[in-house]
Amino acid sequence: MASPLRGEVLNLYKNLLYLGREYPKGADYFRSRLKAAFLKNKDVKDPEKIKQLISRGEFVIKELEALYYLRKYRAMKQRYYEDDNKNK
């Protein structure tokens, strides 16, 4: 791994680990999948390919955040609008 990109990769891994704590299938499931994905690409040396993989990881972060926001939204909607659903 290229030295300047090493910090970015480690930061990406830490961010994904942090976000994976609330994953719907469980933190252990997420952690094992994350570790497998990073180990699969551990031998990549091309800086362009590493940047491409980092951007893919950042996309996954955005998707996870969207998933969590949607879950929070649904929970709030159920709490405050549950009377509307019962009347229909």
Side-chain angles (χ1 to χ4, degrees):
M1 183 181 336
S3 183
L5 296 174
R6 179 176 169 82
E8 287 185 54
V9 172
L10 289 174
N11 193 28
L12 177 67
Y13 187 79
K14 288 177 185 179
N15 288 338
L16 284 166
L17 265 179
Y18 179 78
L19 288 173
R21 295 180 310 155
E22 296 179 29
Y23 194 70
K25 289 189 176 183
D28 292 333
Y29 173 82
F30 186 85
R31 190 178 309 115
S32 65
R33 298 284 304 253
L34 178 65
K35 184 176 180 181
F38 272 77
L39 286 176
K40 182 178 84 171
N41 296 308
K42 73 176 185 174
D43 295 326
V44 175
K45 302 290 185 206
D46 181 30
E48 290 303 314
K49 178 69 174 168
I50 294 172
K51 288 178 185 176
Q52 185 180 26
L53 291 168
I54 289 172
S55 66
R56 184 175 179 196
E58 290 169 350
F59 173 77
V60 170
I61 286 175
K62 290 176 187 174
E63 290 292 314
L64 284 172
E65 289 173 343
L67 175 74
Y68 296 154
Y69 287 136
L70 181 62
R71 186 172 65 185
K72 288 179 184 178
Y73 169 77
R74 286 180 178 164
M76 295 296 285
K77 188 175 180 184
Q78 285 177 350
R79 279 189 203 134
Y80 294 107
Y81 296 106
E82 107 185 292
D83 293 334
D84 291 344
N85 293 334
K86 289 180 183 176
N87 292 335
K88 291 182 181 179

